[in-house]
């Protein structure tokens, strides 16, 4: 049996046909163009999925269902995207529209909640029962897995650890509040902090790294130059990891996970990211005396975490029925 995993992002929607072993057997994508209405995007998405099923020579009976991961405030009871600041979508009936156009059962979840389930089913979380996932991207997505089950909370809107406030009156967040974890620990925050440090330190190696063009700074710039021993870059990375670690300490105390999985582009830094956090966490005795070690892992599903996470929603629904 196959599931259709739909990973909705700010620039594009990635879709995959996924088998029960978590392998993507067919993949395609659709651009999310500015100025196209949210309803039109859903219509085009449904039409595209139908066309791809036909082109691949498959039948609707080959599919168990469709899973959708979408950023923002997703109501899993109504199947609607109530609000997605990153996409500027409001009150969109995603499950209603896709289930009537595709004709298969559709389950939706917040993108990071879906990615959490995907890691637990097919990725770095396979061997654990208690997990927290952080996706370090434009924002910080959060997913929580408790006692072998995805925790979704009321209306499925739980797990938004990126919006826990770690600094009173701190940086302005897209959610409207200030001082959210994601304003310090997202890739966007790292990029902004890197640029700020570069402007202050004109002799930083980071300028050579980006060939003098600050607009090309990305989430890897500071990490790569820190590896070359550049002092400014090292400070940017240390500061970034400090915020990340203190956020993680809070999540350790609340959820006491076996492991925290880091996803998103920055997780490509692997042990350069995880080792300092693990060391600092050990120094902080994982947030509370006499509590067990919390491992820091990177996503195994990488760029496919969104598609596989979404597909896992469809598989899990069937398992639990
Ligand atoms: C949103 C979350 C989302 C995360 C990752 C945050 O800005 O508020 O809902 O999971 O970005 O896309």
């Amino acid at each position: 049996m196959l599931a259709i995993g739909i990973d909705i992002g700010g620039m594009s929607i990635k879709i995959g046909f996924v088998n029960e072993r978590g392998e993507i057997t067919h993949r395609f994508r659709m651009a999310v163009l500015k100025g196209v209405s949210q309803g039109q995007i859903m219509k085009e998405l449904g039409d595209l999925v139908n066309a791809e099923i036909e082109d691949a020579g498959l039948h609707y009976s080959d599919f168990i269902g469709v899973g959708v991961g979408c950023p923002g405030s997703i109501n899993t009871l109504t199947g609607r995207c109530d609000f997605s600041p990153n996409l500027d979508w409001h009150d969109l009936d995603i499950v209603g529209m896709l289930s009537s156009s595709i004709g298969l059962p559709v389950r939706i979840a917040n993108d990071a909640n879906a990615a959490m389930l995907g890691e637990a089913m097919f990725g770095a979380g396979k061997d654990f029962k208690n997990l927290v996932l952080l996706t370090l991207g434009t924002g910080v997505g959060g997913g929580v897995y408790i006692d072998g089950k995805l925790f979704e909370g009321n209306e499925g809107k739980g797990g938004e650890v990126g919006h826990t406030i770690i600094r009173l009156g701190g940086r302005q967040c897209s959610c409207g509040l200030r001082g959210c974890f994601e304003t310090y620990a997202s890739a966007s925050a790292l990029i902004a902090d890197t640029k700020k440090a570069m402007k202050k330190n004109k002799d930083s190696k980071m300028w050579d790294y980006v060939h003098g063009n600050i607009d090309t700074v990305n989430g890897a710039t500071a990490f790569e130059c820190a590896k070359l021993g550049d002092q400014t870059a090292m400070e940017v990375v240390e500061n970034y990891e400090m915020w990340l670690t203190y956020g993680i300490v809070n999540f350790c105390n609340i959820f006491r996970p076996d492991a925290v999985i880091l996803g998103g582009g920055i997780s490509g830094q692997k042990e350069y990211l995880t080792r300092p956090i693990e060391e600092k966490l050990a120094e902080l005795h994982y947030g509370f005396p006499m509590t067990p070690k919390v491992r820091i892992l990177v996503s195994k599903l990488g760029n496919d975490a969104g598609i596989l996470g979404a597909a896992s929603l469809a598989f899990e629904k069937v398992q639990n029925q």
Side-chain angles (χ1 to χ4, degrees):
M1 269 300 199
L2 296 167
I4 300 173
I6 301 181
D7 171 25
I8 300 180
M11 317 280 272
S12 67
I13 301 178
K14 294 190 246 165
I15 306 120
F17 297 164
V18 179
N19 67 23
E20 275 153 283
R21 290 187 300 282
E23 293 155 351
I24 301 176
T25 58
H26 180 62
R27 63 169 81 223
F28 47 101
R29 62 162 68 210
M30 184 185 128
V32 176
L33 299 177
K34 294 255 168 298
V36 179
S37 75
Q38 52 184 41
Q40 182 63 23
I41 292 174
M42 280 307 117
K43 192 190 167 302
E44 283 173 21
L45 176 60
D47 291 347
L48 177 65
V49 170
N50 287 330
E52 293 281 340
I53 292 175
E54 203 180 313
D55 286 358
L58 293 162
H59 303 281
Y60 290 88
S61 56
D62 295 322
F63 295 93
I64 219 159
V66 180
V68 184
C70 182
S73 198
I74 308 304
N75 189 326
T76 55
L77 303 178
T78 61
R80 300 175 94 93
C81 167
D82 286 340
F83 178 43
S84 184
N86 300 351
L87 294 160
D88 199 19
W89 287 358
H90 303 257
D91 192 26
L92 176 62
D93 185 9
I94 296 183
V95 167
M97 291 184 79
L98 291 183
S99 56
S100 66
S101 62
I102 305 172
L104 288 168
V106 180
R107 179 183 172 192
I108 193 168
N110 167 271
D111 58 349
N113 288 356
M116 172 74 271
L117 188 61
E119 290 289 344
M121 271 190 165
F122 306 120
K126 253 181 170 176
D127 300 327
F128 303 103
K129 284 189 122 178
N130 294 289
L131 295 159
V132 172
L133 170 101
L134 302 175
T135 59
L136 310 171
T138 311
V140 172
V144 177
Y145 190 72
I146 298 177
D147 294 334
K149 208 173 173 307
L150 179 68
F151 163 80
E152 291 195 290
N154 197 4
E155 292 189 354
K157 293 178 180 171
E160 282 286 7
V161 297
H163 294 283
T164 49
I165 292 169
I166 56 166
R167 187 170 198 166
L168 274 189
R171 294 177 178 172
Q172 182 65 51
C173 184
S174 66
C175 73
L177 301 185
R178 282 185 171 276
C180 293
F181 180 53
E182 79 167 32
T183 66
Y184 297 91
S186 59
S188 322
L190 173 63
I191 292 168
D193 288 344
T194 305
K195 289 182 176 172
K196 208 165 141 197
M198 284 169 70
K199 283 182 188 156
K200 259 203 197 153
N201 296 280
K202 299 281 183 197
D203 55 349
S204 164
K205 281 198 180 72
M206 292 193 281
W207 283 105
D208 298 335
Y209 189 80
V210 299
H211 305 292
N213 184 358
I214 201 162
D215 295 337
T216 63
V217 166
N218 60 30
T221 308
F223 274 97
E224 294 310 322
C225 294
K227 288 175 201 166
L228 301 174
D230 180 65
Q231 192 57 36
T232 308
M234 281 158 73
E235 281 165 22
V236 171
V237 169
E238 271 167 34
N239 182 58
Y240 176 74
E241 287 177 342
M242 190 256 318
W243 285 108
L244 198 50
T245 305
Y246 279 96
I248 291 175
V249 166
N250 290 335
F251 312 142
C252 289
N253 278 333
I254 301 168
F255 303 109
R256 196 49 58 203
D258 308 308
V260 174
I261 303 173
L262 303 178
I266 295 174
S267 67
Q269 294 297 329
K270 299 207 169 100
E271 64 276 9
Y272 284 97
L273 178 69
T274 57
R275 207 188 305 123
I277 298 174
E278 280 191 322
E279 283 169 10
K280 186 87 181 127
L281 276 181
E283 269 172 41
L284 298 169
H285 44 243
Y286 305 100
F288 198 66
M290 307 301 287
T291 48
K293 176 179 169 142
V294 178
R295 283 160 227 256
I296 306 295
L297 308 172
V298 291
S299 155
K300 255 202 190 145
L301 307 181
N303 290 336
D304 291 333
I307 290 179
L308 294 174
S312 68
L313 293 167
F315 285 126
E316 195 203 48
K317 178 137 198 180
V318 171
Q319 274 173 9
N320 287 342
Q321 260 169 7

PDB file of all heavy atoms in Angstrom, residues 32-48:
ATOM      1  N   VAL A  32       4.552  27.468  -5.093  1.00  0.00           N
ATOM      2  CA  VAL A  32       3.522  28.286  -4.437  1.00  0.00           C
ATOM      3  C   VAL A  32       3.788  29.719  -4.885  1.00  0.00           C
ATOM      4  O   VAL A  32       4.701  30.376  -4.392  1.00  0.00           O
ATOM      5  CB  VAL A  32       3.616  28.184  -2.897  1.00  0.00           C
ATOM      6  CG1 VAL A  32       2.617  29.118  -2.213  1.00  0.00           C
ATOM      7  CG2 VAL A  32       3.396  26.750  -2.435  1.00  0.00           C
ATOM      8  N   LEU A  33       3.024  30.161  -5.870  1.00  0.00           N
ATOM      9  CA  LEU A  33       3.300  31.473  -6.455  1.00  0.00           C
ATOM     10  C   LEU A  33       2.590  32.575  -5.682  1.00  0.00           C
ATOM     11  O   LEU A  33       1.445  32.409  -5.240  1.00  0.00           O
ATOM     12  CB  LEU A  33       2.853  31.492  -7.922  1.00  0.00           C
ATOM     13  CG  LEU A  33       3.571  30.483  -8.827  1.00  0.00           C
ATOM     14  CD1 LEU A  33       3.000  30.526 -10.235  1.00  0.00           C
ATOM     15  CD2 LEU A  33       5.072  30.768  -8.876  1.00  0.00           C
ATOM     16  N   LYS A  34       3.296  33.672  -5.521  1.00  0.00           N
ATOM     17  CA  LYS A  34       2.702  34.833  -4.837  1.00  0.00           C
ATOM     18  C   LYS A  34       1.547  35.345  -5.702  1.00  0.00           C
ATOM     19  O   LYS A  34       1.602  35.289  -6.927  1.00  0.00           O
ATOM     20  CB  LYS A  34       3.750  35.960  -4.688  1.00  0.00           C
ATOM     21  CG  LYS A  34       4.904  35.624  -3.777  1.00  0.00           C
ATOM     22  CD  LYS A  34       4.787  36.331  -2.416  1.00  0.00           C
ATOM     23  CE  LYS A  34       5.740  35.821  -1.365  1.00  0.00           C
ATOM     24  NZ  LYS A  34       5.656  34.439  -0.924  1.00  0.00           N
ATOM     25  N   GLY A  35       0.490  35.787  -5.068  1.00  0.00           N
ATOM     26  CA  GLY A  35      -0.626  36.373  -5.817  1.00  0.00           C
ATOM     27  C   GLY A  35      -1.673  35.344  -6.229  1.00  0.00           C
ATOM     28  O   GLY A  35      -2.754  35.718  -6.676  1.00  0.00           O
ATOM     29  N   VAL A  36      -1.358  34.038  -6.111  1.00  0.00           N
ATOM     30  CA  VAL A  36      -2.364  33.021  -6.446  1.00  0.00           C
ATOM     31  C   VAL A  36      -3.174  32.749  -5.180  1.00  0.00           C
ATOM     32  O   VAL A  36      -2.599  32.580  -4.099  1.00  0.00           O
ATOM     33  CB  VAL A  36      -1.695  31.714  -6.945  1.00  0.00           C
ATOM     34  CG1 VAL A  36      -2.732  30.659  -7.273  1.00  0.00           C
ATOM     35  CG2 VAL A  36      -0.807  31.994  -8.138  1.00  0.00           C
ATOM     36  N   SER A  37      -4.496  32.714  -5.299  1.00  0.00           N
ATOM     37  CA  SER A  37      -5.321  32.587  -4.098  1.00  0.00           C
ATOM     38  C   SER A  37      -5.145  31.211  -3.449  1.00  0.00           C
ATOM     39  O   SER A  37      -4.822  30.227  -4.118  1.00  0.00           O
ATOM     40  CB  SER A  37      -6.795  32.817  -4.431  1.00  0.00           C
ATOM     41  OG  SER A  37      -7.294  31.683  -5.091  1.00  0.00           O
ATOM     42  N   GLN A  38      -5.392  31.163  -2.141  1.00  0.00           N
ATOM     43  CA  GLN A  38      -5.206  29.901  -1.407  1.00  0.00           C
ATOM     44  C   GLN A  38      -6.132  28.804  -1.956  1.00  0.00           C
ATOM     45  O   GLN A  38      -5.750  27.648  -2.072  1.00  0.00           O
ATOM     46  CB  GLN A  38      -5.432  30.126   0.103  1.00  0.00           C
ATOM     47  CG  GLN A  38      -6.752  30.806   0.453  1.00  0.00           C
ATOM     48  CD  GLN A  38      -6.889  31.106   1.942  1.00  0.00           C
ATOM     49  OE1 GLN A  38      -5.952  31.532   2.584  1.00  0.00           O
ATOM     50  NE2 GLN A  38      -8.082  30.864   2.486  1.00  0.00           N
ATOM     51  N   GLY A  39      -7.357  29.200  -2.357  1.00  0.00           N
ATOM     52  CA  GLY A  39      -8.314  28.222  -2.895  1.00  0.00           C
ATOM     53  C   GLY A  39      -7.819  27.670  -4.223  1.00  0.00           C
ATOM     54  O   GLY A  39      -7.917  26.463  -4.498  1.00  0.00           O
ATOM     55  N   GLN A  40      -7.261  28.551  -5.046  1.00  0.00           N
ATOM     56  CA  GLN A  40      -6.748  28.136  -6.355  1.00  0.00           C
ATOM     57  C   GLN A  40      -5.574  27.171  -6.183  1.00  0.00           C
ATOM     58  O   GLN A  40      -5.461  26.173  -6.896  1.00  0.00           O
ATOM     59  CB  GLN A  40      -6.316  29.400  -7.132  1.00  0.00           C
ATOM     60  CG  GLN A  40      -5.807  29.146  -8.531  1.00  0.00           C
ATOM     61  CD  GLN A  40      -6.871  28.543  -9.454  1.00  0.00           C
ATOM     62  OE1 GLN A  40      -8.077  28.696  -9.219  1.00  0.00           O
ATOM     63  NE2 GLN A  40      -6.429  27.817 -10.473  1.00  0.00           N
ATOM     64  N   ILE A  41      -4.710  27.450  -5.181  1.00  0.00           N
ATOM     65  CA  ILE A  41      -3.565  26.566  -4.927  1.00  0.00           C
ATOM     66  C   ILE A  41      -4.069  25.160  -4.577  1.00  0.00           C
ATOM     67  O   ILE A  41      -3.577  24.158  -5.082  1.00  0.00           O
ATOM     68  CB  ILE A  41      -2.667  27.141  -3.803  1.00  0.00           C
ATOM     69  CG1 ILE A  41      -1.985  28.420  -4.306  1.00  0.00           C
ATOM     70  CG2 ILE A  41      -1.619  26.124  -3.333  1.00  0.00           C
ATOM     71  CD1 ILE A  41      -1.186  29.192  -3.269  1.00  0.00           C
ATOM     72  N   MET A  42      -5.100  25.080  -3.726  1.00  0.00           N
ATOM     73  CA  MET A  42      -5.645  23.766  -3.341  1.00  0.00           C
ATOM     74  C   MET A  42      -6.237  23.052  -4.548  1.00  0.00           C
ATOM     75  O   MET A  42      -6.124  21.836  -4.697  1.00  0.00           O
ATOM     76  CB  MET A  42      -6.730  23.937  -2.271  1.00  0.00           C
ATOM     77  CG  MET A  42      -6.208  24.124  -0.885  1.00  0.00           C
ATOM     78  SD  MET A  42      -5.043  22.813  -0.398  1.00  0.00           S
ATOM     79  CE  MET A  42      -3.568  23.782  -0.153  1.00  0.00           C
ATOM     80  N   LYS A  43      -6.898  23.821  -5.417  1.00  0.00           N
ATOM     81  CA  LYS A  43      -7.517  23.213  -6.598  1.00  0.00           C
ATOM     82  C   LYS A  43      -6.416  22.635  -7.494  1.00  0.00           C
ATOM     83  O   LYS A  43      -6.495  21.479  -7.926  1.00  0.00           O
ATOM     84  CB  LYS A  43      -8.347  24.267  -7.354  1.00  0.00           C
ATOM     85  CG  LYS A  43      -9.223  23.617  -8.384  1.00  0.00           C
ATOM     86  CD  LYS A  43      -9.899  24.553  -9.333  1.00  0.00           C
ATOM     87  CE  LYS A  43     -10.469  23.771 -10.495  1.00  0.00           C
ATOM     88  NZ  LYS A  43      -9.515  22.972 -11.259  1.00  0.00           N
ATOM     89  N   GLU A  44      -5.384  23.438  -7.730  1.00  0.00           N
ATOM     90  CA  GLU A  44      -4.282  22.974  -8.596  1.00  0.00           C
ATOM     91  C   GLU A  44      -3.571  21.773  -7.988  1.00  0.00           C
ATOM     92  O   GLU A  44      -3.159  20.858  -8.688  1.00  0.00           O
ATOM     93  CB  GLU A  44      -3.262  24.108  -8.816  1.00  0.00           C
ATOM     94  CG  GLU A  44      -3.758  25.127  -9.817  1.00  0.00           C
ATOM     95  CD  GLU A  44      -2.850  26.339  -9.933  1.00  0.00           C
ATOM     96  OE1 GLU A  44      -1.653  26.258  -9.570  1.00  0.00           O
ATOM     97  OE2 GLU A  44      -3.355  27.395 -10.369  1.00  0.00           O
ATOM     98  N   LEU A  45      -3.455  21.776  -6.651  1.00  0.00           N
ATOM     99  CA  LEU A  45      -2.778  20.670  -5.970  1.00  0.00           C
ATOM    100  C   LEU A  45      -3.558  19.365  -6.172  1.00  0.00           C
ATOM    101  O   LEU A  45      -2.988  18.329  -6.522  1.00  0.00           O
ATOM    102  CB  LEU A  45      -2.636  21.006  -4.473  1.00  0.00           C
ATOM    103  CG  LEU A  45      -2.036  19.939  -3.566  1.00  0.00           C
ATOM    104  CD1 LEU A  45      -0.613  19.567  -4.007  1.00  0.00           C
ATOM    105  CD2 LEU A  45      -1.989  20.444  -2.105  1.00  0.00           C
ATOM    106  N   GLY A  46      -4.873  19.442  -5.980  1.00  0.00           N
ATOM    107  CA  GLY A  46      -5.721  18.249  -6.166  1.00  0.00           C
ATOM    108  C   GLY A  46      -5.614  17.736  -7.600  1.00  0.00           C
ATOM    109  O   GLY A  46      -5.425  16.532  -7.836  1.00  0.00           O
ATOM    110  N   ASP A  47      -5.678  18.664  -8.566  1.00  0.00           N
ATOM    111  CA  ASP A  47      -5.608  18.267  -9.990  1.00  0.00           C
ATOM    112  C   ASP A  47      -4.255  17.619 -10.292  1.00  0.00           C
ATOM    113  O   ASP A  47      -4.182  16.615 -11.008  1.00  0.00           O
ATOM    114  CB  ASP A  47      -5.765  19.495 -10.905  1.00  0.00           C
ATOM    115  CG  ASP A  47      -7.185  20.057 -10.844  1.00  0.00           C
ATOM    116  OD1 ASP A  47      -8.077  19.360 -10.301  1.00  0.00           O
ATOM    117  OD2 ASP A  47      -7.388  21.201 -11.305  1.00  0.00           O
ATOM    118  N   LEU A  48      -3.189  18.201  -9.724  1.00  0.00           N
ATOM    119  CA  LEU A  48      -1.840  17.678  -9.973  1.00  0.00           C
ATOM    120  C   LEU A  48      -1.705  16.251  -9.426  1.00  0.00           C
ATOM    121  O   LEU A  48      -1.190  15.353 -10.103  1.00  0.00           O
ATOM    122  CB  LEU A  48      -0.796  18.602  -9.329  1.00  0.00           C
ATOM    123  CG  LEU A  48       0.659  18.157  -9.434  1.00  0.00           C
ATOM    124  CD1 LEU A  48       1.131  18.137 -10.888  1.00  0.00           C
ATOM    125  CD2 LEU A  48       1.580  19.105  -8.642  1.00  0.00           C
TER     126      LEU A  48
END
